[in-house]
């Protein structure tokens, strides 16, 4: 039975793949339930399966076994095309290396996911303006990614992720490529999105300082869930 | 997506410009070769309604050596099935294959004025009739040599006054300068003055009797001092322009090869472009773009390369042909190369289709790319 307060629920989730004739167990027997409106940090050493778990939550990778419900949707039974449609509506994804489209301006990068929604030009403009304003980068809307600093690029990437008003914002090491000041600024922004707009955020990080912004810590090691604790309410 | 595809061409501007230039050159070659083919086809296409015969000196292949007594006119006119006979003296500035030959056709003035009255104004025809040294210039030749009424021009040792422009639908007429027969015979001074012509233009009463009349003419003069070879006008052009036709056929092969190059160029450009963008495709997929969208994006980029490059090449080809107004002339027979919007549009359409085909495999591969593999790349 789906609990509306639970945004992600997985049971016995496993992810294996074959490399050089050998089966690599990336995730094993993950049982996890995350609440809607929470801010969760997935932590663990390199190779612990954090990013793979995040990718499974985003529907950009498929589990080998187990069940996975995200925002009320059983992802294990969706086709590639259905997963893409679901992502367009439910997921906002922030990459460590921003991954903005280099030939589009900041405005156009943020507008890009809205083309998948049935929206008029003026509606799109309103949404993009709101998103750029929310991340504090309105004055750079006409700049191309190469004309922005790393912190500014990440802000644009966050605006692109939230412009569709997704149920969940997934962030993979969002401060991993930034200096300390820019990283603090991005974390402050994510914190604000969570506290002011009630945005559910699941963030991968290996930095304990970054993880302190989250409400809840989920520790992974060697593909297994080793600890899940509340940092603050 | 269209905007993204357009911007995609700006990622590697030098590569894009080179590909566009390659496509443009290929389509230019194709369109130009096809225009030449079209000119040859137009000049040599035989129709079941054809009534025109050309009587030429047997075994002679150049206006300089085809010399027939003008007195043959009366004998030809008496042959059953002949509707009219026009003795024509032809003088060319160059007997070999060339792209800029002036062909003078000396014709009996009154007969010509009657038969071509609809192809120029009465004032112009009157001016031509009044001056023995005047010439009526075919539209193609006038544009190629930039001649206008009132000009004088000299070619092949003939100095003539331009009485006006002749608007004829006949390809041969468009590239010729029509002068009075006696004037040309006097000016040419080859084979004696007067009484000698190059050929007879014969009209028959019934198209079905074309071959029969041709055989009758040749039989009549078979034992004469100047035996003849009579052919349908289009067959005469096709024989005279045999070498040109072979060259045009070769140009056509080059044109088709150029189109194959379009396919290879665009396919190569798209494959290289996609190889550099596996991560970006994964990002688009993460945002929710489906395989169909990615495939369309790739196809649209390929289409843009074909349509822009093809458009430039076709436009240049059309412009060059329209400006040059070139005619391939050989043995006094002219084959105009007509500028054609239809050929230009066909060139662009073929470039578009080939570009789309070139983009199909990269589009399928890109649309099937898995997100995680793209990020690992």
């Amino acid at each position: 039975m789906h609990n509306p307060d639970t945004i992600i629920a997985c049971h016995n989730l496993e992810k294996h793949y074959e490399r050089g004739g050998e089966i690599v167990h990336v995730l094993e027997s993950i049982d996890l339930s995350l609440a809607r409106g929470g801010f969760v940090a997935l932590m663990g050493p390199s190779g612990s399966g954090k990013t793979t778990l995040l990718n499974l939550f985003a529907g950009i990778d498929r589990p080998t076994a187990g069940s996975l419900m995200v925002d009320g949707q059983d992802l294990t039974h969706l086709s590639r095309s259905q997963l893409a449609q679901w992502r367009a509506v439910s997921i906002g994804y922030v990459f460590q290396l921003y991954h903005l489209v280099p030939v589009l301006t900041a405005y156009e990068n943020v507008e890009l996911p809205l083309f998948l929604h049935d929206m008029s030009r003026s509606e799109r403009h309103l949404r993009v303006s709101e998103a750029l304003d929310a991340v504090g980068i309105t004055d750079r809307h006409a700049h191309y990614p190469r004309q922005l600093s790393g912190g500014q690029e990440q802000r644009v990437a966050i605006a692109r992720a939230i412009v569709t008003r997704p149920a969940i914002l997934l962030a993979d090491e969002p401060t991993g490529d930034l200096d300390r000041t820019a990283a603090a600024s991005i974390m402050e922004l994510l914190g604000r999105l969570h506290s002011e707009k009630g945005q559910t955020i699941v963030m991968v990080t290996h930095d304990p300082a970054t993880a302190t912004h989250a409400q809840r810590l989920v520790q992974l090691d060697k593909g297994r869930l080793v600890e899940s604790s509340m940092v603050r309410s | 997506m269209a905007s993204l595809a357009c911007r995609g061409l700006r990622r590697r501007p030098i590569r894009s410009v080179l590909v566009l230039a390659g496509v443009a050159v290929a389509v230019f070659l194709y369109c130009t070769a096809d225009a030449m083919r079209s000119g040859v086809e137009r000049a040599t296409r035989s129709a079941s309604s054809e009534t025109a015969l050309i009587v030429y000196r047997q075994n002679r292949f150049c206006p300089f050596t085809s010399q027939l007594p003008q007195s043959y006119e009366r004998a030809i006119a008496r042959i059953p099935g002949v509707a009219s006979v026009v003795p024509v003296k032809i003088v060319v500035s160059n007997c070999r294959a060339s792209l800029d030959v002036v062909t003078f056709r000396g014709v009996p003035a009154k007969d010509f004025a009657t038969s071509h009255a609809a192809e120029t104004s009465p004032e112009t025809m009157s001016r031509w009739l009044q001056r023995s040294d005047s010439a009526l210039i075919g539209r193609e030749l006038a544009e190629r040599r930039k001649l206008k009424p009132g000009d004088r021009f000299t070619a092949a040792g003939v100095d003539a006054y331009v009485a006006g422009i002749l608007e004829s639908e006949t390809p041969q007429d468009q590239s010729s300068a029509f002068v009075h027969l006696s004037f040309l015979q006097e000016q040419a001074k080859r084979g004696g003055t007067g009484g000698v012509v190059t050929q007879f233009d014969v009209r028959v009463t019934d198209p079905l009797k074309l071959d029969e009349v041709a055989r009758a003419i040749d039989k009549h003069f078979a034992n004469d001092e100047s035996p003849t070879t009579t052919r349908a006008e289009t067959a005469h052009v096709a024989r005279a322009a045999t070498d040109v036709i072979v060259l045009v056929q070769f140009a056509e092969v080059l044109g088709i090869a150029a189109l194959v190059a379009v396919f290879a160029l665009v396919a190569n450009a798209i494959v290289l472009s996609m190889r550099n963008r596996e991560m970006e495709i994964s990002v688009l997929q993460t945002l929710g773009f489906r395989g169909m969208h990615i495939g369309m994006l790739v196809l649209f980029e390929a289409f843009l390369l074909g349509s822009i490059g093809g458009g430039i090449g076709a436009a240049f080809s059309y412009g060059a042909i329209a400006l040059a107004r070139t005619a391939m002339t050989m043995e006094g027979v002219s084959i105009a190369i007509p500028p054609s919007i239809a050929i230009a549009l066909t060139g662009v359409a073929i470039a578009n289709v080939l570009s789309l085909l070139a983009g199909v495999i990269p589009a399928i591969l890109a649309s099937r790319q898995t997100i995680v593999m793209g990020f690992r790349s």
Side-chain angles (χ1 to χ4, degrees), chain B residues 171-187:
Chain B
Q172 292 306 312
D173 293 356
Q174 290 170 10
S175 299
S176 299
F178 290 89
V179 294
H180 296 216
L181 176 60
S182 54
F183 165 74
L184 193 59
Q185 287 170 326
E186 183 65 32
Q187 287 270 310

Side-chain angles (χ1 to χ4, degrees), chain B residues 333-353:
Chain B
V333 168
S334 293
I335 297 176
I337 305 174
S340 163
I341 292 282
I343 287 175
L345 292 177
T346 304
V348 176
I350 292 175
N352 285 342
V353 171

Side-chain angles (χ1 to χ4, degrees), chain A residues 17 55 59-61 80-81 84-85 87-88 93 95 99 101-105 108 112-113 115-116 144 160, chain B residues 3-4 7-8 10-11 279-280 283-290 293 367-372 375-376:
Chain A
Y17 61 83
N55 288 344
I60 63 178
D61 202 357
R80 268 175 68 106
S81 179
Q85 284 177 284
R87 276 194 304 273
Y93 202 105
F95 302 93
H99 290 321
V101 180
V103 290
L104 300 181
T105 62
E108 290 163 338
L112 197 55
F115 286 108
L116 299 168
Y144 286 92
R160 180 178 67 182
Chain B
S3 168
L4 187 56
R7 304 288 182 88
R10 284 172 21 191
R11 286 167 206 274
M279 195 172 284
E280 185 179 308
V283 171
L284 292 176
Q285 288 174 311
T286 303
L287 294 179
F289 285 87
R290 281 177 280 163
H293 296 124
S367 67
R368 288 183 177 175
Q369 176 187 303
T370 59
I371 301 177
V372 175
F375 282 127
R376 281 186 192 152

Side-chain angles (χ1 to χ4, degrees), chain A residues 125-135 138 162-163 165 197:
Chain A
H125 178 72
L126 194 66
R127 284 282 195 98
V128 174
S129 300
E130 278 176 12
L132 287 171
D133 187 46
V135 300
T138 306
I162 62 171
V163 73
R165 297 176 185 163
K197 298 184 186 286

Side-chain angles (χ1 to χ4, degrees), chain A:
Chain A
M1 186 74 180
H2 172 60
N3 179 352
D5 293 333
T6 302
I7 197 154
I8 295 175
C10 55
H11 180 61
N12 268 338
L13 196 66
E14 302 207 352
K15 178 66 184 176
H16 309 155
Y17 61 83
E18 202 180 311
R19 185 193 284 163
E22 208 173 301
I23 302 292
V24 179
H25 298 268
V26 186
L27 292 172
E28 288 189 82
S29 302
I30 303 289
D31 286 310
L32 187 64
S33 179
L34 303 180
R36 191 178 291 276
F39 189 166
V40 180
L42 294 178
M43 291 194 70
S46 289
S48 59
K50 310 183 291 291
T51 297
T52 302
L53 186 58
L54 196 75
N55 288 344
L56 294 179
F57 291 166
I60 63 178
D61 202 357
R62 287 177 180 279
T64 311
S67 68
L68 174 61
M69 293 280 286
V70 181
D71 194 28
Q73 183 70 55
D74 182 353
L75 299 191
T76 55
H77 293 104
L78 295 183
S79 66
R80 268 175 68 106
S81 179
Q82 287 170 325
L83 273 174
Q85 284 177 284
W86 172 80
R87 276 194 304 273
V89 174
S90 301
I91 297 293
Y93 202 105
V94 179
F95 302 93
Q96 179 181 350
L97 297 175
Y98 336 126
H99 290 321
L100 299 177
V101 180
V103 290
L104 300 181
T105 62
Y107 182 98
E108 290 163 338
N109 264 289
V110 177
E111 189 183 26
L112 197 55
L114 295 181
F115 286 108
L116 299 168
H117 297 253
D118 187 19
M119 270 185 201
S120 67
R121 190 189 179 92
S122 57
E123 282 176 303
R124 288 202 306 271
H125 178 72
L126 194 66
R127 284 282 195 98
V128 174
S129 300
E130 278 176 12
L132 287 171
D133 187 46
V135 300
I137 199 106
T138 306
D139 57 332
R140 301 287 177 138
H141 73 277
H143 288 60
Y144 286 92
R146 65 176 181 279
Q147 298 168 318
L148 300 172
S149 68
Q152 289 168 332
E153 278 197 79
Q154 194 60 296
R155 282 174 183 272
V156 175
I158 293 170
R160 180 178 67 182
I162 62 171
V163 73
T164 56
R165 297 176 185 163
I168 314 165
L169 180 63
L170 302 171
D172 186 7
E173 304 265 16
T175 59
D177 200 49
L178 300 175
D179 61 40
R180 190 175 295 175
T181 313
S185 166
I186 290 297
M187 288 318 300
E188 188 272 328
L189 169 61
L190 290 177
R192 195 153 42 79
L193 287 173
H194 170 247
S195 60
E196 291 177 9
K197 298 184 186 286
Q199 179 70 59
T200 305
I201 299 176
V202 180
M203 171 183 72
V204 164
T205 182
H206 63 268
D207 177 13
T210 301
T212 57
H213 289 81
Q215 290 173 312
R216 182 177 170 187
L217 292 183
V218 174
Q219 284 277 354
L220 291 169
D221 190 27
K222 294 177 183 167
R224 288 181 179 275
L225 185 66
V226 292
E227 190 183 343
S228 177
S229 58
M230 294 302 288
V231 178
R232 56 191 170 83
S233 58

